[in-house]
Amino acid sequence: MPSSKKKPQQPAQGEPSNPTAPAVETTDPQTNKPNIVDIHTHMYPVSYIKLLESRNTIPLIRSFPGHPEPRLVLLPSEVPLLSNPSPSHPPGRPLTEAYTSLDAKIAFMDKHNISISVLSLANPWLEFLSTSPDPSSLLEPALRINVEFEVMCNQHPGRLYFFGVLPLHPENTLCALPLVLSMKMKFKHCRGVIIGTNGLGKGLDDPDMEDVFEMLEEDDLPIFLHPHYGLPNQVFGERAEKGEYGHVLSLALGFPMETTVAVSRMYLSGMFDKFPKLKVILAHGGGTLPFLAARIESCIRHDGYLHKKEKEGRGKIKRSIWEVLNSQVYLDAVVYGEVGLKAAIQASGERGVERLMFGTDHPFFPPLEEGEEEWGSVVMNTEAVNKGLGEGSKEARMVLGENAIKILNLEKP
Ligand code: URA
Ligand code: ZN
């Protein structure tokens, strides 16, 4: 527990950033527009699609009568709808080529002025295989998917990188470790790993995760932490279970809360202190962490149990959540509005603007009207940065691309 005598390092509220590191020039000289780097952009490679097609529990791909496109059903909140699908609006979402085609990804990037994308497998990664009795059975699919991403990156030199997937299994870490160890050597374009909040099945405060964190820290492979499970269905009530609110409650509230809980558990268990060089990039602007960090800090400082534990020398959280936020945690800028964007920057410390990286969450949240080419969800994210930080400003350019280039060691476009 942080000492109550030591004032935790609060972020400077509303203070302009004063980054000392030299800016990487990422403006397109022809259009004078910033070259955007998208660090939150997913794909499902061919081998993964085949896996989903072979399944009859979620995640799965299924066709429904009257609907030409097969549907991708991923979310636990959709399970009740699978047994009784509405003929007009069955569960899931249409599996368009945006999920699977590299040409579609590149066309999307070109349309939205995105120079570089850091691809990742979308949720739920390989977690559904973790019930297999043999942990090593995850190794082959993980390897294959990472190879598929590396091949895609090689097809568009300078434009694509990726976060790899790990074969995490509740039984042990042994199958994950060889892959982590070989990641940098095998995959030239790999810039970290995407993992869910489950870890090896018991969350990210699980002592068994320490081996994985240690390897990632040693190899300087950042974790891109992404939600999938949301909150239990009962939280959202019967009407949500019947599908009345679409995916809104799960995605808008369940996802960010899940990320917040996962990273708070990591923090409370002392994982950040144990692995002080481990870098964790939080999806969706850190869930609700920027808004709740001060409350977490207050609850820690006023918790009788933690206070006693510290007094008795049985454990102490060495750094405040603010210190972790401005040293080991990075946030994506997938927040869709100025208010959230500014909160994310302020929560990330005096130099918080150096810690945010633009993302789109493509291919999720596509336009719904036929013929619409521009993705409104992307425009919202871009406008949040431009309005919040000033279009063309140094800060906007940092969040839109320069930060990612530095943090993830990408080549300048
Ligand atoms: N964004 C994601 O990354 N996954 C989903 O399932 C929905 C939105
Ligand atoms: Zn995502």
Side-chain angles (χ1 to χ4, degrees), residues 40 42 74-75 93 122-123 226 228 251 255 284 361 364-365:
H40 188 156
H42 306 290
L74 301 175
L75 302 175
R93 50 197 107 219
N123 47 300
H226 193 291
H228 168 68
L251 296 184
F255 266 37
H284 313 122
D361 220 347
F364 296 97
F365 311 110

Side-chain angles (χ1 to χ4, degrees), residues 40-42 120-123 125 194 224 226-227 255 283-284 332 334 360-362 364-365:
H40 188 156
T41 180
H42 306 290
S120 50
L121 183 66
N123 47 300
W125 314 286
I194 182 164
F224 178 30
H226 193 291
F255 266 37
H284 313 122
D332 74 19
V334 183
T360 60
D361 220 347
H362 181 264
F364 296 97
F365 311 110

Side-chain angles (χ1 to χ4, degrees), residues 29 64 114 153 223 245 356 386 411:
F64 293 88
I114 295 167
C153 296
I223 291 173
Y245 308 135
L356 250 70
N386 287 336
E411 266 173 46

Side-chain angles (χ1 to χ4, degrees), residues 237-303:
E238 267 182 32
R239 296 181 67 169
E241 280 211 9
K242 287 190 199 136
E244 275 190 45
Y245 308 135
H247 295 153
V248 173
L249 292 173
S250 304
L251 296 184
L253 308 181
F255 266 37
M257 246 1 262
E258 180 190 339
T259 308
T260 312
V261 172
V263 69
S264 302
R265 282 172 55 179
M266 264 184 93
Y267 170 67
L268 286 170
S269 67
M271 288 296 181
F272 287 104
D273 288 335
K274 269 203 182 115
F275 305 103
K277 294 208 174 102
L278 184 68
K279 294 177 186 158
V280 181
I281 304 164
L282 301 181
H284 313 122
T288 60
L289 191 60
F291 185 78
L292 293 180
R295 185 171 175 86
I296 294 170
E297 196 58 32
S298 169
C299 287
I300 291 171
R301 283 211 264 157
H302 301 103
D303 188 277

Side-chain angles (χ1 to χ4, degrees), residues 321-336:
I321 190 113
W322 302 114
E323 286 171 278
V324 172
L325 266 162
N326 67 40
S327 56
Q328 284 180 262
V329 170
Y330 298 85
L331 306 178
D332 74 19
V334 183
V335 288
Y336 307 101

Side-chain angles (χ1 to χ4, degrees), residues 2 33 59 82 151 214 245 264-266 345 390 409:
K33 281 192 177 168
L82 262 182
V151 168
E214 191 180 331
Y245 308 135
S264 302
R265 282 172 55 179
M266 264 184 93
I345 291 174
N409 190 25

Side-chain angles (χ1 to χ4, degrees), residues 348-367:
S348 302
E350 258 177 66
R351 292 170 55 162
V353 78
E354 292 176 37
R355 311 187 73 78
L356 250 70
M357 294 177 270
F358 183 81
T360 60
D361 220 347
H362 181 264
F364 296 97
F365 311 110

